Structures are given as C-alpha cells and as structure tokens.
Amino acid sequence: MKVKIGSSVLELVQGDITQQDTEAIVNAANRTLLGGGGVDGAIHRAAGPELLAECRNLGGCDTGDAVVTRGYKLKAKYVIHTVGPVYQGPNPNTERLLESAYRRSLEVALTKGVYSVAFPAISTGAYGYPLGEAASVALRTAIVFLQAHPEIKLVRFVLFNQRVLEAFEESLGRLNPA
Ligand code: AR6
C-alpha cells in the first residue's frame, strides 16, 4: 500500500527491515543502545560488530529521542536508533513519547540529508504497545512530518508479519491522507 503526501511517498510493506535499500533504517532500540532482541538484534547481526562499537561511544539515548550511526554491512548508509516507550496502559505521555520517537528519527534523518527512511513498528514487540494505537500514532506523525518536510521523499514502514501489516493498512485507510 502506497499513498502520496504532497510530492513524497508513504509506503507500507511486509518484510525485514535489515534488507531495505532506503538510505536510512530506524532501529527500535533501548536506552543503552547496546543491543537487544527483536528488530534491534536483527539489525546488529546484519550490520556486524562495528555497529555495536559505534553505539558504545554514544552513551545511550533517552526514550523518545533518536541518534544516528553508520550502517556498516547493511545496504542502508545510516541506522537511526530510537527508543520507544514501554506501554503501560492508555496514557497521553506514552503516546507523546511514541510520537516523539518517530518525529525525532525523521529530524535526525534531515540532519544527514537523508531522503528515504524505513521504520519498523516501534514499541509493538517487547515494549507491548497495542498495534492499532501504535499504527495510528506512527502514521499520523509521519504524515504531518512529510507535509512539513518535502525533502524526505520516502517513508516506508516495514512490517514484520501480516498481522502488523494489516493493522497499519487499516489505520492508514482510516486516516485517509489527501
Ligand atoms: N524487521 C522488521 N520488523 C521486525 C523485525 C525485522 N527484522 N524483527 C522484529 N520486528 P521489538 P520494541 C518487529 O520487540 O517493542 C529490543 O530488545 C516486531 O514484530 O523489536 O520497540 C530492544 O533492544 C514488532 O512489530 O521492539 C528493546 O529492548 C516490532 O518489530 C526492545 O526490544 C518491534 O518489536 C524494544 O521493543
């Protein structure tokens, strides 16, 4: 599924984020930036040990913030590491932090002149954010950002399985961006 936001494209695909050829991919990391399971583990395995070596020098990342490293063995030139919130029930602060993780990732992409970014569904695995709600925050934030920053030409959400893809498709259908 693909929609135009101004002159940019927002795309939903099922797949593995480590295989993406966008200029940057986003990692759903934890505050230590020292690796973990899920998408974080997959990205570190695919990028090779130099990624962890660079992350060690960054001194961590706050929840809702993002930092950038090189992509090493990945096709993507950069990895943008962001930290989503752990879900603890419906709470405007949790939602604000998830929104911030997406927005800060895109702001960091702009600082590197990146024009294409692939995201996983941040916080929807180990961090337990309900899929439908996470999809709506993710898509709303990306759409608002693309409307303000046409320099980013492509935002691709890479959803790991059919269930996550369908949640994002339903949410995008409801948002119905012009
Ligand atoms: N490509 C795309 N999506 C993936 C991949 C992949 N290769 N692997 C998993 N997913 P999670 P979180 C999906 O748990 O909830 C880590 O240990 C998965 O199906 O990776 O933000 C970190 O170090 C789910 O929809 O991230 C943190 O400690 C989504 O990615 C913690 O987990 C996010 O699941 C972060 O938890």
Side-chain angles (χ1 to χ4, degrees):
M1 188 170 180
K2 209 184 254 196
V3 294
K4 288 278 260 180
I5 310 292
S7 61
S8 305
V9 170
L10 187 154
E11 186 178 25
L12 309 181
V13 302
Q14 188 176 340
D16 179 349
I17 201 154
T18 65
Q19 302 307 310
Q20 302 302 309
D21 59 3
T22 44
E23 268 196 299
I25 65 170
V26 175
N27 182 16
N30 59 60
R31 285 184 295 163
T32 69
L33 298 180
L34 297 180
V39 74
D40 195 2
I43 288 173
H44 276 274
R45 278 192 298 280
E50 288 167 295
L51 180 61
L52 183 58
E54 185 174 352
C55 284
R56 281 192 205 287
N57 291 326
L58 294 173
C61 178
D62 288 336
T63 304
D65 202 358
V67 294
V68 63
T69 65
R70 289 167 57 195
Y72 300 98
K73 290 185 187 148
L74 295 164
K75 290 180 199 159
K77 186 171 178 191
Y78 298 107
V79 179
I80 296 167
H81 307 260
T82 191
V83 184
V86 176
Y87 190 75
Q88 286 159 333
N91 172 336
N93 192 45
T94 312
E95 183 174 326
R96 191 182 57 73
L97 287 169
L98 185 59
E99 188 182 307
S100 174
Y102 282 101
R103 192 184 56 252
R104 286 292 303 135
S105 296
L106 290 165
E107 285 171 0
V108 165
L110 280 185
T111 68
K112 294 287 183 186
V114 162
Y115 58 83
S116 59
V117 184
F119 280 99
I122 299 166
S123 287
T124 65
Y127 283 0
Y129 215 104
L131 263 183
E133 290 170 40
S136 133
V137 171
L139 291 166
R140 254 196 290 118
T141 309
I143 289 166
V144 167
F145 197 90
L146 287 176
Q147 285 166 340
H149 298 283
E151 318 82 285
I152 298 205
K153 296 294 171 208
L154 172 67
V155 170
R156 178 184 294 157
F157 287 90
V158 182
L159 296 326
F160 204 44
N161 57 47
Q162 187 69 22
R163 198 173 65 91
V164 188
L165 177 66
E166 277 169 12
F168 273 69
E169 283 177 344
E170 275 170 30
S171 183
L172 187 55
R174 269 197 302 275
L175 287 168
N176 192 23

